[in-house]
Amino acid sequence: MARPERIRIGDLLIQEALLTATQLDEALVEQKKSGRKLGRIFIDRQWVTEVQIAKAVARQLRAPFVDLTQRQLKPETAALLPEMHARRLRALPLEDGPGPLKVAMADPTDLNAYDEVSRLTHREVDLVVVAESQLLAALDRAYRKGSEIAGLARELTSELSSVEGEIGDLLGLNNATAEDAPVVRLLTSVFEEALRARASDIHIEPQERQLRIRFRIDGVLHVQTEADGKVAGAVALRLKLMSGLDISEKRLPQDGRFHVKLRNHAIDVRISTMPTQHGESVVMRLLNQSSGRLGLDSMHLPEAVERALRRAIARPSGMVLVTGPTGSGKTTTLYSALQTLNSTDRKIITVEDPVEYRLPGLNQVQVLEKIDLSFDRVLRAALRQDPDVILVGEMRDKNTAEIGMRASMTGHLVLSTLHTNDAISTPIRLIDMGVPRYMVALSLQMVLAQRLVRVVCPNCSEPHELQANEHEWLRLELGLAVEQHQFVKGRGCADCNDTGYTGRTGVYEFIEMTQELVEAMNHGEPSAFNAAARRQMAGATLRRDAVRLATLGRTTVEEAMRISAQVDE
């Protein structure tokens, strides 16, 4: 297309019958007061959508409109326009062929931006029109930090090999501009890429000849980059300094935490170091404090699960247990319950190792075994603080379990976690730990078991033809009804890093300690309790909940089968 001309967006939308003259007049009045762009006012008032505006502009300019959510991006093409300029100009190179360079712009009528893109790329430019929100998301996808991280790691290797290189300068200790130190810039890029990729953990692992950096995304590890093994010591040392750990101790594991702020996101980082054959392995758990407010309303629990959990935490006393393996979201569920309970008329004390979420209004205690500040010791002290609600991070041993149970029998609501495979086996597990049977029957109110399954990427979701083993497995769960459902799978796209999944959601099962279950528990035969619990659950198991999500198109049959295999172990 030729060099674009300016467009009066209000007149164009009226011409396209997307806006009325009265609406335009109202928006012009607001624009004079606020100075905001007209298009943004139209969108905020929900008169038109971004995509409608973009398509109308594209028709007026006789330019193509591109849906970036359906577009595979090429990092090498995007690199023709440096990231700093791409974000400033709101422009993204899409196709580089023998002809003009095709560049996506949210505002193709910005003549200055058009001319600067052409000057910076030294190319003739053909514009395509895109929605602004899609462009901003595409910029994050296109300018990934993988190559930058590798380049910074090479730079750090070179600096470390230099005779003149001072370790203090490399770590940012000897000058006021510590952010310019090579290792600091490397770690900043790692954290920024982890945030973009929605990683929950960063693994920094020294190997024999290289340093491997991996991200855990939606529960699965992905290699991010591999660097020269020489940088491993400097990276571990800087991270230990940031978290206040003992930098002289490399033979023992250490734990700590620190905070970073990236792109207006406050990240709480839990760090664990462990000595290995080739150096210190570092794992960091990222807790995004800006990711949204906790609360049962935001959990999107199944209706029956939410009703039962609200009933349990509304009681003035008793114990509520959430069970599942490490990384199954137990702490998030408990903190969502605490946020619901958090009010000025309740005293809430948490006893944790480590403290994962920091909520105002709570009295949170970090367990520290090396000074004998153990779960049971803190829990005994907490009971003398006149609490209404106590959260115990984990029922690790008989002493902690017994103290928690006694607290729940004497007017306190106690929330905690336990590592068991399902809801039914939890009361029996407590008895096996040595907790008296009568205490379990009297104090336990509810057991909620959960797992996390990956959610199908909505951008690349497509119908999935069942494999023979999937069909047979579903037939055992659904019977002939399996033929009535359409199942989906993600083919992989830029939005989901070609995995087919974006994010995770929970699957649940629960039991409530009704009179029938209490009597069965006191009967002394585990089989009697199990039978009564199964009657109460009526098939509402973790496996069945995973199947339900698959039939709704929220997850895949493969994920449902994976969760079921874990439960059956």
Side-chain angles (χ1 to χ4, degrees):
M1 61 171 281
R3 188 172 184 268
E5 298 179 357
R6 291 199 178 277
I7 292 176
R8 294 172 62 90
I9 188 67
D11 294 338
L12 173 61
L13 294 178
I14 290 175
Q15 178 184 326
E16 293 270 339
L18 295 171
L19 201 70
T20 67
T22 302
Q23 289 173 327
L24 176 58
D25 291 340
E26 288 181 26
L28 288 169
V29 170
E30 182 176 335
Q31 185 189 40
K32 287 180 181 179
K33 293 178 181 178
S34 64
R36 299 165 63 213
K37 289 185 176 181
L38 269 180
R40 179 49 54 189
I41 294 173
F42 299 150
I43 293 167
D44 289 346
R45 292 198 172 200
Q46 298 183 344
W47 292 337
V48 291
T49 65
E50 273 189 322
V51 171
Q52 286 176 318
I53 292 179
K55 287 183 175 180
V57 170
R59 285 192 292 270
Q60 180 70 15
L61 295 176
R62 295 184 175 83
F65 168 81
V66 172
D67 183 352
L68 286 177
T69 62
Q70 304 296 326
R71 187 73 174 233
Q72 291 284 351
L73 304 176
K74 298 179 180 178
E76 61 273 16
T77 303
L80 296 172
L81 184 64
E83 180 180 2
M84 177 181 68
H85 297 297
R87 293 187 182 279
R88 177 172 59 85
L89 300 171
R90 294 287 199 268
L92 177 64
L94 291 182
E95 291 182 19
D96 181 23
L101 178 67
K102 281 187 168 48
V103 177
M105 291 186 70
D107 183 6
T109 65
D110 186 340
L111 305 184
N112 292 330
Y114 174 90
D115 290 338
E116 193 164 356
V117 169
S118 182
R119 179 180 63 81
L120 289 167
T121 58
H122 307 289
R123 299 284 297 277
E124 183 183 347
V125 170
D126 264 0
L127 293 184
V128 298
V129 185
V130 296
E132 184 176 19
S133 61
Q134 292 183 9
L135 177 65
L136 295 176
L139 288 171
D140 288 337
R141 300 200 311 267
Y143 294 101
R144 293 180 179 174
K145 301 285 184 179
S147 58
E148 179 181 329
I149 292 170
L152 288 168
R154 287 193 296 270
E155 180 184 340
L156 179 58
T157 303
S158 175
E159 294 280 354
L160 287 168
S161 301
S162 171
V163 177
E164 295 81 12
E166 293 288 339
I167 190 66
D169 292 331
L170 297 177
L171 295 176
L173 304 179
N174 296 343
N175 56 68
T177 56
E179 64 271 14
D180 294 331
V183 71
V184 175
R185 289 188 286 126
L186 170 63
L187 288 172
T188 299
S189 291
V190 169
F191 282 122
E192 286 181 347
E193 179 62 8
L195 182 62
R196 184 209 64 79
R198 310 181 322 277
S200 61
D201 302 84
I202 301 173
H203 292 243
I204 299 177
E205 304 163 321
Q207 308 293 305
E208 184 177 3
R209 300 182 184 276
Q210 63 190 11
L211 176 68
R212 183 172 64 182
I213 299 176
R214 295 193 289 175
F215 293 165
R216 187 175 294 280
I217 303 171
D218 296 335
V220 179
L221 280 170
H222 301 268
V223 175
Q224 172 59 29
T225 192
E226 292 179 339
D228 193 307
K230 294 177 183 177
V231 308
V235 171
L237 181 55
R238 178 67 200 188
L239 289 170
K240 289 167 77 172
L241 284 166
M242 292 170 66
S243 48
L245 301 181
D246 183 355
I247 62 174
S248 65
E249 180 56 77
K250 299 180 180 180
R251 300 166 300 170
L252 296 174
Q254 296 187 67
D255 298 308
R257 70 191 307 155
F258 59 91
H259 302 275
V260 293
K261 190 169 184 179
L262 301 167
R263 296 187 182 180
N264 298 320
H265 290 270
I267 309 296
D268 195 7
V269 183
R270 273 175 36 202
I271 179 172
S272 169
T273 70
M274 184 176 67
T276 67
Q277 186 176 5
H278 303 295
E280 287 185 283
S281 171
V282 181
V283 176
M284 291 175 284
R285 168 66 56 88
L286 308 182
L287 300 169
N288 189 347
Q289 303 297 326
S290 310
S291 61
R293 188 181 174 195
L294 293 169
L296 291 181
D297 292 335
S298 64
M299 288 284 291
H300 305 296
L301 298 169
E303 187 177 347
V305 174
E306 182 173 348
R307 282 201 310 267
L309 185 54
R310 286 186 183 277
R311 278 197 303 270
I313 65 175
R315 296 187 178 103
S317 63
M319 176 172 283
V320 177
L321 287 177
V322 180
T323 75
T326 301
S328 59
K330 301 186 299 295
T331 303
T332 301
T333 299
L334 286 179
Y335 263 93
S336 295
L338 282 187
Q339 181 71 353
T340 302
L341 292 169
N342 194 9
S343 62
T344 56
D345 60 346
R346 286 193 183 95
K347 185 178 181 73
I348 300 176
I349 298 177
T350 75
V351 186
E352 304 170 75
D353 182 21
V355 174
E356 292 198 20
Y357 296 98
R358 299 184 179 184
L359 293 182
L362 271 60
N363 300 274
Q364 298 175 272
V365 182
Q366 166 78 54
V367 168
L368 201 57
E369 295 286 355
K370 64 182 178 183
I371 61 170
D372 198 27
L373 192 64
S374 59
F375 270 107
D376 55 346
R377 185 170 185 178
V378 176
L379 192 49
R380 286 191 184 95
L383 291 173
R384 295 192 288 271
Q385 292 278 309
D386 187 29
D388 298 292
V389 182
I390 302 173
L391 181 144
V392 184
E394 183 184 346
M395 293 294 177
R396 293 186 175 181
D397 51 46
K398 176 186 175 183
N399 285 343
T400 305
E402 277 198 8
I403 296 168
M405 290 283 180
R406 291 187 189 281
S408 68
M409 295 168 64
T410 55
H412 306 89
L413 177 64
V414 179
L415 311 179
S416 190
T417 69
L418 193 66
H419 289 279
T420 57
N421 227 22
D422 53 30
I424 293 178
S425 62
T426 300
I428 306 301
R429 169 73 177 128
L430 288 169
I431 295 170
D432 290 342
M433 289 170 64
V435 180
R437 185 181 299 275
Y438 79 90
M439 195 176 288
V440 176
L442 288 176
S443 62
L444 193 59
Q445 299 292 334
M446 177 186 180
V447 179
L448 175 65
Q450 67 179 70
R451 297 289 192 280
L452 292 176
V453 295
R454 290 182 289 174
V455 175
V456 176
C457 175
N459 186 50
C460 62
S461 173
E462 60 185 18
H464 170 61
E465 185 175 344
L466 294 176
Q467 303 295 318
N469 63 324
E470 294 175 334
H471 188 280
E472 180 62 21
W473 183 80
L474 284 169
R475 191 184 63 78
L476 294 175
E477 293 295 321
L478 300 174
L480 297 178
V482 65
E483 309 297 341
Q484 302 171 11
H485 297 285
Q486 175 67 66
F487 299 93
V488 299
K489 191 171 186 176
R491 66 176 179 277
C493 66
D495 274 1
C496 59
N497 296 310
D498 292 318
T499 63
Y501 299 97
T502 305
R504 291 187 290 176
T505 191
V507 293
Y508 307 91
E509 68 179 25
F510 70 92
I511 57 172
E512 294 180 278
M513 293 298 289
T514 59
Q515 186 63 35
E516 181 186 8
L517 290 193
V518 169
E519 290 175 359
M521 173 66 65
N522 288 327
H523 187 268
E525 284 294 327
S527 58
F529 176 82
N530 291 345
R534 287 195 180 92
R535 285 195 298 272
Q536 184 191 104
M537 292 172 69
T541 62
L542 288 166
R543 180 199 296 258
R544 184 55 59 88
D545 200 24
V547 171
R548 178 184 66 85
L549 290 179
T551 61
L552 294 174
R554 291 272 289 153
T555 192
T556 61
V557 178
E558 180 184 13
E559 275 290 283
M561 292 175 70
R562 180 181 67 84
I563 290 299
S564 297
Q566 290 180 2
V567 175
D568 293 340
E569 287 177 354

